[in-house]
Amino acid sequence: MMAFWRVGIAALALLSGLATAASREVRPLNEGWLFSKSDAGAAMSPNFDDKSWRPVQLPHDWSQEEPFSANYGSGNGYAAGGVGWYRKRFQLDASQRGRLVSVEFDGIYEHSQVWINGQYVGGRPFGYSSFALNLTPYLRFDAPNVIAVRVDHSRQTDSRFYSGSGIYRLARLVITAPIHIAQWGSFVRTPVVSAANSKVQVDTEVVNTTAKAQSLSLLSELLDPQGRVVARLESSLQLTAGEGRSFAQAMSVARPQRWSLESPALYTLRQQLRQGDRVLDEAGTPFGIRTARFDPDRGFFLNDQPLKIKGVCLHHDAGSLGAAVPESVLERRLIKLRDMGVNAIRTSHNPPAPELLALTDKLGLLVQAEAFDEFAPTKRKWIAGWNVGEPGRHGYGESFEAWGVRDIEDMVKRDRNHPSIIMWSIGNEVDYANDPFSHPVLGKKYRPENPPASELVRLGKPLVAAVKRMDSSRPVTAAMAHVEMSDAVGFGDILDIAGYNYQELRYAADHAAKPRRVIYGSENRHDYSAWAVVRDTDYISGQFLWTGIDYLGEAGRWPLRAADFGLLDLASFRKPRGAFRESLWSEKPMVYIAAALQSAQLNASQSGQGTPLLDQQRRAKVEEHWNWPAGATVTVSAYSNCDEIQLLLNGQVIGSQPRSAAVEGVFTWTVPYQAGELKAMGLRGGKPVAEFVLKTAGPAARIALSSEVAGDGVAHVEYRIVDAQGVRVPDADQRITFSLQGPLEILGIGNGNLADVDDPRDAVHATYQGRGLAVLRNKAGAGARTLQASAPGLASAQIDLGGAP
């Protein structure tokens, strides 16, 4: 929502010509923090000596800054937790006396406590909740103010996946008049939409903190995607002393530009709260005009058109960056997924950063927004490795009964204006058998000493009610791991739509038994068959693959730090599995080839990329290279959405196969290996429309660099080890030294290796499969910015990353 405030207020100033500082001021609070990984007992005091603390910039994740260790938990990627403190000074002008000042945090992991000038003002146990705290009573106008934040992640084994530690999302000061629009107080709905007209319902919560009754007016304007005012309404408001109340306004938009995947048109609600000629507050809220509905027999419809949900689950980390992820990194990853045919994201298993939802709105991606990974009591948290040894039992479940309703209310209230969100999920696998709930329907696996599964209903009903209070326009769901147990106690019946995790075999029988139930795959393997049933069955709305991108945590034994289920690896390089999914989901003509030794005994349906479970990372891989032993026989796997595939080796046609020859979506050839060039051609109507080439790499000769520099000053630099002809050398896994010139800093350097335990902030890092990714950020200052990469025995490389005046 705060991303909305930033966009909306900027648009407001541009379009209205009013100075935003006269009413509402939003001041970024991301630079100038001091940090100490310690538990200094008096650090909340404004006079505390913090000269030895080091400066950091938000977002900040200290878990990525300390050595990884087998002594930490595998669930959290063998990364450190602990206790840390943050302090920041800021100045207020005397002219701001009498105004309300709050601090807003998008996420602090976890158990945060916040002080202003030594006075405690609040905090949040849940590390994924956004929250605001009123600082006004304790502010100074004649001296610097000091915010101090204590973060307690000493329960380090509290998550099944990587969480990060610290103020890992953005923060800001918000300064308003005593009479103002509440935080997340504007809610836009489009209850009736047609090609000719859309009704727009605006509910605005206005707060009067004064001791007097107030007569006000609220001006609301709707701006189309081109910035033109297309509807306008001004309403008179009356508020008693100390009252906060919601006011409804109804407008209509003729010939609306509907938000869709192909054309994600965004309107803006521009508002001014007035008292006479004086503007007390103003806000801008992007929204979309669209319809979304689920039908138990016909599936999902967007703007009354049937649409299969081709989704992926995403955790919030970004490989070497940990949990502190700049917006441009999120955007780059989402675009890569979208270009592969993905049209939906499941925020597994917690509220995401506000920036991610602003991006899904902009890019045309659907979202299942999820709240929790557990209710109460807690789930198992693996320490020595996934499903290995004795688990830990710390986690959000310890705070759930006290905070669950508040946390889900805030999630929905913050995010309900996003047109990309099509459903709210109250939880992920909260019904996992015996973790912790049990029921006699489990048969021999029933554990009567465990909490009864009926607790799912008791704990779930208040969450459903909370979502409905905040937003009744979208359905409520949950990702169920054991539908039979959930149905035995009625948990599935409290949901609007039912998410099935890995239970495709239940679809037909459950549809027959419960014909009014909406069923979709909330979490699915990459198997071809799991997609085929969605594709071929009208009443199955879609699926969400586990996962879109490899992620930290939920790891095996040390030194494996991550899980390898993604279409992209930890450094966002496309895996063969990603190309396979692209062949199933993308409309753009494509072809891809990868290979393995014939002895690998490929099984396409198990992985979506034709690989058995052989190596320590649990999946041997078909590989994207053409370097094999002399005299070997190689199995070539091709993935394509074309009508025909033609395979050529060193210019000679090996053979052609029609699309009907693919087995579970995979074309295969058995080829005697010859060094040189292997090419696949994709044909439609007998004409080539796509091609993909693998070349034999010679000895490693040099380093190659390529970069993308985003508008927020973040550079993504791909580094590769190549031969004399520029072909990536697939087994050149060696250490590269990076040298930065100019005002640049390293955010993270990494690769796709699940067992990479190097410091991601260090200037020396290895390649994996001959490549890696360095993410850098501009620092303040003038001068050219360049990156040089060198390694023994290789020609070095240098790349220009731009300059600053």
Side-chain angles (χ1 to χ4, degrees):
M1 182 67 179
M2 287 302 100
F4 276 15
W5 282 115
R6 289 193 293 273
V7 172
I9 290 173
L12 188 62
L14 176 66
L15 296 168
S16 71
L18 295 173
T20 60
S23 53
R24 173 180 292 256
E25 180 182 353
V26 179
R27 185 186 299 183
L29 206 65
N30 302 312
E31 298 183 0
W33 289 88
L34 297 175
F35 172 72
S36 175
K37 177 68 183 303
S38 64
D39 197 6
M44 73 286 290
S45 171
N47 298 320
F48 180 83
D49 183 2
D50 56 17
K51 292 185 179 64
S52 63
W53 291 19
R54 64 185 177 90
V56 297
Q57 178 177 333
L58 305 186
H60 176 247
D61 174 9
W62 81 64
S63 289
Q64 287 293 101
E65 298 178 343
E66 299 187 31
F68 308 115
S69 171
N71 295 323
Y72 303 136
S74 62
N76 231 319
Y78 298 104
V83 176
W85 279 86
Y86 295 82
R87 286 168 56 89
K88 178 175 173 58
R89 293 168 174 83
F90 67 93
Q91 190 80 40
L92 291 173
D93 189 85
S95 63
Q96 294 168 322
R97 288 183 185 272
R99 297 171 65 76
L100 298 180
V101 180
S102 62
V103 60
E104 296 181 347
F105 293 101
D106 289 339
I108 303 176
Y109 203 92
E110 64 174 346
H111 291 281
S112 59
Q113 297 172 285
V114 182
W115 288 261
I116 180 70
N117 297 326
Q119 301 293 320
Y120 180 69
V121 289
R124 205 66 169 242
F126 192 36
Y128 299 104
S129 279
S130 297
F131 62 97
L133 300 170
N134 181 20
L135 308 180
T136 311
Y138 313 111
L139 292 172
R140 299 169 173 173
F141 296 89
D142 54 358
N145 295 277
V146 180
I147 294 179
V149 182
R150 183 181 186 269
V151 185
D152 185 353
H153 191 198
S154 55
R155 304 167 184 82
Q156 187 270 337
T157 56
D158 65 335
S159 178
R160 299 189 307 116
F161 43 88
Y162 183 84
S163 63
S165 302
I167 311 178
Y168 70 100
R169 290 179 180 167
L170 301 179
R172 66 202 59 83
L173 287 180
V174 178
I175 304 171
T176 67
I179 308 165
H180 59 275
I181 297 170
Q183 183 196 30
W184 312 325
S186 300
F187 179 26
V188 188
R189 289 170 289 159
T190 56
V192 179
V193 180
S194 70
N197 189 274
S198 173
K199 293 183 178 179
V200 179
Q201 177 75 41
V202 177
D203 296 317
T204 308
E205 184 182 354
V206 181
V207 178
N208 172 24
T209 66
T210 74
K212 296 180 180 180
Q214 302 289 340
S215 296
L216 310 164
S217 66
L218 178 65
L219 172 65
S220 293
E221 295 177 318
L222 304 182
L223 281 64
D224 70 10
Q226 290 72 43
R228 300 170 297 204
V229 176
V230 293
R232 185 178 189 272
L233 180 63
E234 188 164 10
S235 305
S236 297
L237 316 179
Q238 300 292 325
L239 282 174
T240 61
E243 182 183 16
R245 186 151 56 95
S246 183
F247 297 89
Q249 295 175 304
M251 290 174 277
S252 63
V253 174
R255 298 179 297 279
Q257 301 175 52
R258 283 184 275 191
W259 186 93
S260 66
L261 305 189
E262 300 76 22
S263 180
L266 290 173
Y267 285 72
T268 299
L269 167 66
R270 182 171 70 182
Q271 294 183 291
Q272 290 182 348
L273 184 64
R274 299 170 176 261
Q275 193 164 52
D277 293 333
R278 182 185 174 200
V279 177
L280 300 178
D281 198 3
E282 52 192 346
T285 304
F287 69 97
I289 297 175
R290 56 101 177 115
T291 61
R293 61 184 172 89
F294 291 84
D295 184 277
D297 293 316
R298 301 173 61 199
F300 176 68
F301 289 77
L302 183 67
N303 296 322
D304 297 320
Q305 297 299 312
L307 177 69
K308 289 294 185 183
I309 296 171
K310 303 172 181 177
V312 295
C313 304
L314 284 185
H315 279 312
H316 75 141
D317 71 273
S320 65
L321 304 181
V325 188
E327 183 173 353
S328 61
V329 175
L330 295 173
E331 183 169 22
R332 183 175 184 265
R333 290 155 73 89
L334 290 176
I335 289 173
K336 282 178 173 284
L337 291 171
R338 186 191 63 177
D339 289 348
M340 292 161 59
V342 172
N343 66 16
I345 303 297
R346 176 182 173 216
T347 66
S348 310
H349 306 291
N350 44 260
E355 299 95 311
L356 183 133
L357 297 175
L359 288 168
T360 55
D361 287 346
K362 182 180 82 169
L363 297 174
L365 292 166
L366 305 172
V367 174
Q368 174 192 307
E370 193 156 70
F372 307 124
D373 188 45
E374 61 188 15
F375 290 172
T378 60
K379 288 182 177 178
R380 294 186 290 261
K381 312 298 190 310
W382 298 106
I383 299 172
W386 189 52
N387 288 339
V388 173
E390 289 295 319
R393 285 290 185 180
H394 288 303
Y396 178 65
E398 297 168 289
S399 303
F400 173 82
E401 295 224 44
W403 282 92
V405 168
R406 171 73 181 277
D407 284 329
I408 204 169
E409 282 181 340
D410 283 357
M411 178 188 83
V412 175
K413 195 172 183 181
R414 186 193 76 170
D415 297 334
R416 59 191 174 178
N417 290 309
H418 289 281
S420 55
I421 295 179
I422 58 172
M423 54 180 142
W424 304 109
S425 171
I426 63 173
N428 168 65
E429 296 188 346
V430 292
D431 63 337
Y432 198 93
N434 295 309
D435 193 16
F437 304 109
S438 200
H439 189 275
V441 76
L442 298 176
K444 292 182 180 180
K445 295 182 179 179
Y446 174 48
R447 301 289 180 267
E449 67 275 15
N450 283 14
S454 57
E455 285 286 273
L456 292 166
V457 177
R458 182 183 74 83
L459 298 169
K461 277 186 173 181
L463 300 181
V464 174
V467 173
K468 297 295 186 183
R469 283 194 300 272
M470 298 297 106
D471 175 22
S472 61
S473 69
R474 294 176 177 89
V476 178
T477 188
M480 294 186 288
H482 204 293
V483 174
E484 186 178 14
M485 185 174 76
S486 286
D487 282 347
V489 297
F491 180 64
D493 295 332
I494 72 173
L495 307 171
D496 297 317
I497 58 178
Y500 282 44
N501 281 18
Y502 310 108
Q503 295 172 89
E504 294 89 352
L505 294 178
R506 296 190 61 90
Y507 288 169
D510 283 11
H511 178 64
K514 295 180 177 289
R516 302 316 302 159
R517 170 174 285 182
V518 172
I519 299 173
Y520 73 100
S522 44
E523 191 169 311
N524 304 86
R525 295 181 182 87
H526 297 258
D527 302 15
Y528 177 85
S529 59
W531 166 243
V533 69
V534 176
R535 181 195 61 200
D536 299 336
T537 308
D538 286 345
Y539 63 81
I540 302 300
S541 302
Q543 68 170 190
F544 289 88
L545 297 176
W546 190 261
T547 58
I549 307 176
D550 288 357
Y551 57 95
L552 301 176
E554 202 167 34
R557 292 183 182 272
W558 174 265
L560 297 177
R561 295 194 54 243
D564 69 337
F565 300 106
L567 303 176
L568 305 175
D569 69 17
L570 286 172
S572 297
F573 294 110
R574 183 179 66 167
K575 297 159 68 174
R577 177 185 294 152
F580 176 76
R581 188 56 43 171
E582 184 176 352
S583 74
L584 301 179
W585 283 1
S586 178
E587 298 296 327
K588 182 180 178 180
M590 63 81 62
V591 65
Y592 176 90
I593 45 177
L597 293 175
Q598 186 183 31
S599 59
Q601 300 177 348
L602 303 181
N603 185 340
S605 68
Q606 292 303 306
S607 67
Q609 63 177 23
T611 61
L613 310 181
L614 293 179
D615 68 1
Q616 64 166 348
Q617 296 178 7
R618 295 186 288 127
R619 295 186 191 276
K621 297 176 176 66
V622 288
E623 299 178 57
E624 188 185 306
H625 66 77
W626 195 239
N627 280 63
W628 301 97
T633 301
V634 179
T635 298
V636 177
S637 296
Y639 316 136
S640 181
N641 55 13
C642 297
D643 299 334
E644 182 183 356
I645 308 299
Q646 188 177 80
L647 189 69
L648 300 90
L649 178 58
N650 293 326
Q652 300 297 311
V653 175
I654 298 293
S656 297
Q657 295 187 33
R659 192 167 187 175
S660 59
V663 177
E664 296 190 325
V666 181
F667 303 83
T668 57
W669 284 267
T670 301
V671 179
Y673 174 68
Q674 295 178 16
E677 178 184 277
L678 184 72
K679 178 189 290 187
M681 302 284 291
L683 289 75
R684 286 184 177 175
K687 296 182 179 180
V689 292
E691 71 173 44
F692 192 85
V693 175
L694 297 177
K695 293 183 179 180
T696 303
R702 61 184 176 89
I703 300 169
L705 301 175
S706 61
S707 72
E708 306 166 31
V709 180
D712 61 357
V714 173
H716 301 80
V717 181
E718 295 184 4
Y719 58 92
R720 293 172 292 126
I721 297 177
V722 299
D723 67 7
Q725 283 70 47
V727 178
R728 175 172 60 90
V729 182
D731 59 351
D733 297 336
Q734 63 189 90
R735 303 185 73 75
I736 294 178
T737 298
F738 296 92
S739 177
L740 285 65
Q741 291 85 39
L744 277 173
E745 64 179 333
I746 296 171
L747 291 184
I749 302 177
N751 54 50
N753 184 6
L754 305 183
D756 182 1
V757 295
D758 284 346
D759 181 352
R761 310 290 172 97
D762 189 56
V764 179
H765 214 93
T767 57
Y768 177 67
Q769 297 177 340
R771 61 190 177 187
L773 179 71
V775 182
L776 313 174
R777 179 170 59 196
N778 289 347
K779 297 171 65 176
R785 296 173 170 88
T786 59
L787 176 70
Q788 186 177 54
S790 60
L794 299 176
S796 62
Q798 181 171 300
I799 192 166
D800 180 10
L801 299 175

